[in-house]
Amino acid sequence: MNIRDLMLFQTIVREKGLTKASKMLYMTPQGLSRVIKNLENELNCQLLVRTSSGIELTESGTCLSEYADRITADYEQLRNELLHIRQRSRGVVDLLSAYGILRLVTPECITAFRKLYPEIEFHYREYPDRQVERLFQEREGNVAFSIADFDESLYDITELETFSIKLLVNERHPLSECSSVTIDALRGEPLYIESHEFKIHHLIKNKCREAGFEPNIIFETSGFSLCHKMVKDNKGISVTVDFVFDDMKEKGMKLIPFSDGIYEWKMCMLTRKGDKPCEADHQPPLQVGV
């Protein structure tokens, strides 16, 4: 038995059949059958019963499935721990960043970092902010840039910059005459907003619910760009922050601040509590010059 066999077994259980599992794994059903047969021979028990609707686990199969879940989870954690050891010994910055933040980290900034610390290997990946935190909790990466709030018991947190979230409207929209608005201005308005994988989505939705209504979300996007495009075409309204608005350089649109509370997009750098710094570098891995 090896870890690969256990992972294949888990897929069969999850897909409830050899045929479905084989398509997902790009293997033949016969190849998966051999894996199950080898496991059954090694463990001296029957794991699966084939039925007209697929497969069912025997009591032994259920037992193996529970152990396999724990074993493979421990295996993935081990792989991540060994990766972090290699990263520290080699001097690797593996940055997970929420979309939008690296707009402020210019290519020149990254180039300057590499020149200043040529011995450090630098990588970065971008995701929606809630996904960044899930991956970081699963011990992906060794530094993260994301949007507050965070569990302070898990991370050492350095605040980088805070921006006010503002209403974005077309200059032809009636709301463009307002110098400020409350969340009630969104009531009934067609709203384009980032998906539930972004904290800005939940902040706005919660503010609307506190005011006693559900926002009229027309479309959820994977970033600011489409929201700005739809507002430019006067298809609806959205929310954004100053630096993204300035970066888009789109004419015919207006930012309006909210006057009924705190609407913040706070960028922070996260490292895990207890993690040792890279041996090659005892300074913060990257500074955002804003």
Side-chain angles (χ1 to χ4, degrees):
M1 184 193 311
N2 58 44
I3 197 74
R4 177 177 176 274
D5 290 343
L6 288 179
M7 289 177 171
L8 294 177
F9 175 73
Q10 285 178 299
T11 304
I12 294 168
V13 173
R14 194 163 51 245
E15 297 300 318
K16 300 180 180 178
L18 292 171
T19 302
K20 287 184 179 179
S22 66
K23 290 179 180 177
M24 177 168 287
L25 295 165
Y26 299 99
M27 293 178 64
T28 64
Q30 294 80 5
L32 287 180
S33 292
R34 284 194 294 273
V35 171
I36 296 300
K37 190 64 178 175
N38 290 339
L39 284 173
E40 290 177 332
N41 288 339
E42 182 174 348
L43 298 172
N44 194 28
C45 63
Q46 185 176 3
L47 299 172
L48 306 176
V49 175
R50 290 165 178 79
T51 68
S52 57
S53 58
I55 58 102
E56 291 182 1
L57 289 173
T58 64
E59 184 178 357
S60 297
T62 299
C63 180
L64 176 61
S65 179
E66 292 171 355
Y67 271 91
D69 288 343
R70 294 199 292 270
I71 291 168
T72 55
D74 286 344
Y75 174 74
E76 288 302 322
Q77 184 175 354
L78 171 63
R79 282 173 55 88
N80 280 330
E81 292 290 348
L82 294 176
L83 173 62
H84 295 150
I85 291 170
R86 290 198 302 273
Q87 288 175 340
R88 288 198 301 270
S89 64
R90 291 171 53 197
V92 176
V93 173
D94 186 8
L95 171 67
L96 306 182
S97 177
Y99 286 134
I101 294 179
L102 290 185
R103 285 178 179 270
L104 297 172
V105 184
T106 64
E108 290 82 4
C109 177
I110 294 174
T111 300
F113 175 86
R114 285 173 169 156
K115 286 182 178 179
L116 188 60
Y117 302 107
E119 72 280 10
I120 295 179
E121 188 177 329
F122 179 80
H123 306 281
Y124 67 89
R125 293 169 278 165
E126 291 184 277
Y127 303 97
D129 37 75
R130 286 164 68 93
Q131 187 175 350
V132 165
E133 288 168 51
R134 285 199 301 273
L135 291 170
F136 206 54
Q137 286 174 10
E138 294 167 3
R139 300 200 66 79
E140 287 275 337
N142 56 11
V143 182
F145 288 169
S146 195
I147 309 303
D149 292 322
F150 309 103
D151 185 344
E152 295 187 6
S153 68
L154 297 177
Y155 309 118
D156 291 317
I157 302 168
T158 302
E159 184 176 331
L160 300 176
E161 188 72 12
T162 300
F163 293 89
S164 295
I165 297 169
K166 298 178 181 178
L167 183 66
L168 179 67
V169 300
N170 191 290
E171 288 182 349
R172 291 174 286 160
H173 194 284
L175 287 172
S176 68
E177 301 298 322
C178 300
S179 58
S180 66
V181 293
T182 66
I183 197 65
D184 204 63
L186 276 65
R187 191 186 296 265
E189 292 286 345
L191 177 65
Y192 292 84
I193 195 169
E194 286 69 26
S195 76
H196 65 279
E197 285 291 278
F198 295 80
K199 288 184 178 178
I200 195 171
H201 174 104
H202 297 276
L203 184 148
I204 295 300
K205 191 176 247 187
N206 289 338
K207 291 281 189 181
C208 292
R209 287 174 174 171
E210 289 169 8
F213 68 96
E214 287 292 322
N216 180 25
I217 297 176
I218 300 299
F219 195 76
E220 297 180 9
T221 78
S222 60
F224 287 109
S225 299
L226 182 57
C227 295
H228 281 242
K229 180 182 185 305
M230 300 312 291
V231 174
K232 180 183 177 184
D233 294 341
N234 206 19
K235 302 291 186 182
I237 63 175
S238 188
V239 289
T240 191
V241 292
D242 289 292
F243 80 88
V244 175
F245 178 79
D246 294 339
D247 194 41
M248 292 288 185
K249 296 182 174 63
E250 297 284 3
K251 295 181 179 179
M253 297 194 292
K254 182 179 178 181
L255 281 181
I256 306 173
F258 288 97
S259 60
D260 59 336
I262 298 173
Y263 294 72
E264 285 186 342
W265 202 77
K266 183 183 294 184
M267 303 185 308
C268 298
M269 182 177 73
L270 309 179
T271 54
R272 297 183 191 87
K273 285 190 179 295
D275 270 9
K276 297 178 182 178
C278 295
E279 293 177 6
D281 177 26
H282 295 284
Q283 301 299 319
L286 194 62
Q287 300 294 325
V288 180
V290 295

